[in-house]
Amino acid sequence: MASFDFDAARRWARFDPGHTLARRDDAALPFADEGELAGSALLLDTCVYIDRMQGRAPAVVSGLISTRQANHSTVAVQELMHTVGVLRPEDPRSADVIGAIERQIKAMPDHRLFEPDAEVLGRAALLAGMLCRLQGYRDDGRLKALQDSVLFLQALKLGLTVLTANVREFDLLLQLVPAGRVLLYRKA
């Protein structure tokens, strides 16, 4: 990680507002609007794939994906494959879910699938650690914070906007790193 500035990271990690961060009012957050579909290229959060597979994605999500360039992260691939691993093979519904996930992953064009680099991974670990400290996250919350931080910082580095329904999590990330770009939506 030759490009990773450990001293700057250590200074950044000292950030302490003296309280847990609170979720802001919706009016202060960047929610997607069907009247404003054009804009920067997107990096899709895992929830976008899941919501679309389950028919819970609102029309604005389809509009954004068809209007803007949609990009994918290996973070989402990892989370989707985790789902495949936890499904019970004996459950008759598992085969359909696995098939839907397979189709989603195979539909991701190689030239639109991005891997986070060492700098993003290092900074995301630091950011997730800060969130865990500030918010008191434990167990699964820690892993979720890490995955969200990687996706958020990967999008920032690539100049992309994260599309997500994870309002609370990405609001907190935007509070810590206001330069990030996120478009939020509510599930249908």
Side-chain angles (χ1 to χ4, degrees):
M1 284 202 316
S3 65
F4 188 76
D5 185 346
F6 194 84
D7 291 332
R10 187 176 10 205
R11 286 189 302 275
W12 188 45
R14 288 188 206 139
F15 172 77
D16 189 352
H19 57 83
T20 58
L21 300 173
R23 174 146 131 38
R24 296 175 291 180
D25 185 73
D26 283 359
L29 299 176
F31 276 90
D33 181 343
E34 288 193 46
E36 299 176 14
L37 295 178
S40 65
L42 303 170
L43 187 62
L44 307 182
D45 191 2
T46 309
C47 62
V48 175
Y49 305 101
I50 294 169
D51 291 343
R52 292 183 83 202
M53 285 186 279
Q54 294 178 343
R56 296 184 311 187
V60 70
V61 169
S62 295
L64 286 165
I65 291 172
S66 65
T67 304
R68 298 186 186 198
Q69 182 185 84
N71 296 285
H72 314 277
S73 174
T74 55
V75 172
V77 172
Q78 184 181 38
E79 290 180 316
L80 290 168
M81 290 306 298
H82 180 265
T83 300
V84 171
V86 299
L87 290 172
R88 297 187 179 280
E90 69 276 3
D91 187 325
R93 298 171 295 177
S94 293
D96 289 341
V97 174
I98 291 169
I101 291 171
E102 178 183 15
R103 286 187 296 281
Q104 284 290 316
I105 292 173
K106 285 184 174 180
M108 297 176 187
D110 288 342
H111 69 285
R112 295 276 176 245
L113 179 62
F114 297 97
E115 296 178 24
D117 63 19
E119 177 190 8
V120 166
L121 292 172
R123 291 184 186 281
L126 178 67
L127 182 58
M130 291 168 59
L131 275 173
C132 291
R133 173 175 46 87
L134 294 170
Q135 302 304 108
Y137 291 162
R138 300 281 181 257
D139 304 324
D140 288 347
R142 290 179 176 189
L143 179 58
K144 179 97 174 82
L146 180 59
Q147 291 165 326
D148 288 343
S149 294
V150 172
L151 190 70
F152 180 77
L153 293 179
Q154 182 182 27
L156 180 62
K157 184 169 187 173
L158 295 171
L160 305 173
T161 299
V162 177
L163 179 62
T164 184
N166 294 325
V167 176
R168 182 179 186 283
E169 294 86 351
F170 281 86
D171 175 27
L172 299 177
L173 289 167
L174 283 169
Q175 289 180 53
L176 292 174
V177 185
R181 293 193 317 226
V182 174
L183 267 180
L184 303 167
Y185 69 91
R186 296 252 186 250
K187 297 176 185 187

